[in-house]
Amino acid sequence: MRARVHITLKSGVLDPQGEAIRHALGALGFDGVERVRQGKVIELELADADPEAARARVREMCEKLLANTVIENYQIEIL
Amino acid sequence: MRARVHITLKSGVLDPQGEAIRHALGALGFDGVERVRQGKVIELELADADPEAARARVREMCEKLLANTVIENYQIEIL
């Protein structure tokens, strides 16, 4: 079973990487780019057969390791 | 208009970050994690009003800056 986790910075948190991308796009002539936010995506290949059990386990992984829940949100997709 | 770009390593390319996550999950007692791949997600806020024009522009951004097309694949979503 495959799971995909999206990890994004919470909305109030500064994103210097996103800002750097926005600047670089402007320098390349792409105007009208108002905001850029960069996040992570983690794809996991799991031995679990039950989607609900897999989702619960991935949630635990996010809380314990994958995301920093002080500054990051995560979203789990079971594929 | 918002666009989301997923950037992932091509399948043959080594992913040391993904491997590190897999090891760390194992050390935390999460077994049955067979493979982990880490990628990036970039969210853009664009001034474009036309979704097709926005998609074409984001494709150009990916080719020129956002993705390294030698080792990475990208996927564009217009939201």
Side-chain angles (χ1 to χ4, degrees), chain A residues 26-64:
Chain A
L28 286 173
F30 293 104
D31 42 7
V33 181
E34 285 153 11
R35 217 168 66 114
V36 180
R37 302 285 281 174
Q38 185 177 332
K40 284 181 284 192
V41 57
I42 298 174
E43 284 189 9
L44 302 147
E45 197 107 15
L46 302 166
D48 304 64
D50 172 33
E52 276 320 301
R55 184 183 292 276
R57 237 155 65 91
V58 173
R59 190 175 300 121
E60 215 187 317
M61 291 176 198
C62 286
E63 293 287 337
K64 285 200 179 153

Side-chain angles (χ1 to χ4, degrees), chain B residues 1-76:
Chain B
M1 173 148 299
R2 277 175 61 214
R4 189 184 284 153
V5 182
H6 279 112
I7 298 169
T8 48
L9 285 169
K10 288 185 178 176
S11 59
V13 180
L14 275 181
D15 179 1
Q17 263 186 304
E19 266 308 285
I21 294 170
R22 200 176 63 80
H23 268 271
L25 287 172
L28 286 173
F30 293 104
D31 41 8
V33 181
E34 286 153 10
R35 217 168 66 115
V36 180
R37 301 285 281 175
Q38 184 176 331
K40 284 180 285 189
V41 56
I42 298 174
E43 284 189 9
L44 303 149
E45 197 107 15
L46 302 167
D48 304 64
D50 172 34
E52 275 321 300
R55 184 182 292 275
R57 235 154 67 90
V58 173
R59 190 174 299 123
E60 215 186 316
M61 291 176 197
C62 286
E63 293 288 338
K64 285 199 178 152
L65 180 78
L66 304 180
N68 175 353
T69 54
V70 178
I71 56 167
E72 290 171 330
N73 289 322
Y74 62 86
Q75 242 185 324
I76 300 167

